[in-house]
Structure formats: C-alpha cells, structure tokens
Amino acid sequence: MESTVIRPFEHTDLPGAAAALTDVHATDGYPVEGVARPEEWLRSDDVLASWVAATDEEIVGHVAVMRPNGEAAVSLWAERSGAEERHIGVLARLFVVRQARKQALGERLVRTAMAYGLRHNRRLVLDVMVKDTAAIRLYDRLGWLRTGLAEHPYGAGQQIEAICYVAPAPYPAMPSATQ
C-alpha cells in the first residue's frame, strides 16, 4: 500500500470516510451505531475536530474529538478529577479499514487527536466496547488510564459493556482560569 498520510478531515472526504466506516462495520461490527447514516454520524454537530488517514485519494481511517454529550467516560473523569466539561474532549469514531492495518494508523490517528487535546486544553476520554480487544490493546499500549466500566448505549435501548479511559498526562492537574 502506498504511503498513508494523516491530515485534517475535509468536506470532500465525507463519501470516502462513510464508505470506510461501513466497510469496518461489515468486517468488525464497529461501530455499533451510526452505520445506517454514516455521513451524518461522522459530521455530527458535536465534532470539534477530525482527521483522516488517506492513501492517495482513498480514505482508509478516521478519528474525531467530540464535545462531551452525556458519555459515561466524561462523567467518570469529571467526578474523579474535578475537571469541567469544557476541558474534556471525547476521542471517538476511530476506525481503520482492514486492508490498511498493520501500519500503525490507529496509533497515528490517536496520537493526532491527543495532540489536539493538549493544544486545546481538553483532556481526552473515551469508551471502548469490551469486544474490541485490538482497540483495548492500543489504548493500554499508549498509556491511557482505565477509569471504570460502563454500558455504552446505542440503537433502540440497546447497550454493550465498555471500558472507559482517560488520556495519559501531560495535562495540567486543573485548568488555569486564563485558558
């Protein structure tokens, strides 16, 4: 496979990212939501920033940092740290198509999102379904800290068990009033 770059998401990436998302869902069962309307799910109003992994013009991966919106991972971290929601971001919508794996693209996408969090004084949190063992290994290897277990809601009242994480330091212990 040609050289893959990580770059900010552009509007013209939407069809390719949606196709990659549905491909990943077909092979991995991830995500558990959003595949009925992948373009809407990827471009939610809660997206603060997002990036794609692109090989030439083909989108092979994606990640986003989202505003908090009632996620258990946000509540767990806010309660533990005293952080205000405006200083928390949710790492979400991370996926890499099967044929582009084994290039550390998931790690590169996560590190890109983590750098955004640092620049914008947002400690990143996430939840990952317990069934997604490769993702769990990635977050553990990158030093993310487990903050607890939760039920990830999706669909019409469905839930699946998830592990909640917070990004590793360096982050300020408490945000300063000037930021």
Side-chain angles (χ1 to χ4, degrees), residues 21-123:
L21 173 72
T22 56
D23 180 48
V24 169
H25 178 75
T27 59
D28 301 326
Y30 173 86
V32 293
E33 72 270 277
V35 292
R37 294 184 169 149
E39 292 186 1
E40 288 177 28
W41 192 71
L42 289 168
R43 296 313 309 152
S44 159
D45 290 339
D46 290 328
V47 173
L48 293 168
S50 59
W51 300 266
V52 293
T55 303
D56 292 325
E57 299 301 314
E58 183 182 4
I59 304 303
V60 296
H62 177 275
V63 70
V65 174
M66 315 280 290
R67 283 182 190 84
N69 191 11
E71 295 89 353
V74 172
S75 300
L76 283 169
W77 180 244
E79 289 169 14
R80 176 182 283 187
S81 68
E84 297 176 21
E85 280 196 8
R86 65 188 176 99
H87 293 291
I88 299 174
V90 180
L91 187 139
R93 286 134 169 90
L94 172 65
F95 57 87
V96 175
V97 298
R98 184 177 300 266
Q99 68 269 21
R101 294 182 188 162
K102 305 290 185 205
Q103 299 179 54
L105 296 179
E107 178 175 340
R108 289 172 57 198
L109 286 161
V110 170
R111 288 186 185 279
T112 299
M114 290 169 66
Y116 172 90
L118 283 171
R119 285 191 313 273
H120 294 276
N121 194 28
R122 285 186 181 261
R123 186 80 179 255

Side-chain angles (χ1 to χ4, degrees), residues 12 29 38 92 124 147 168:
T12 56
L124 299 186
T147 58

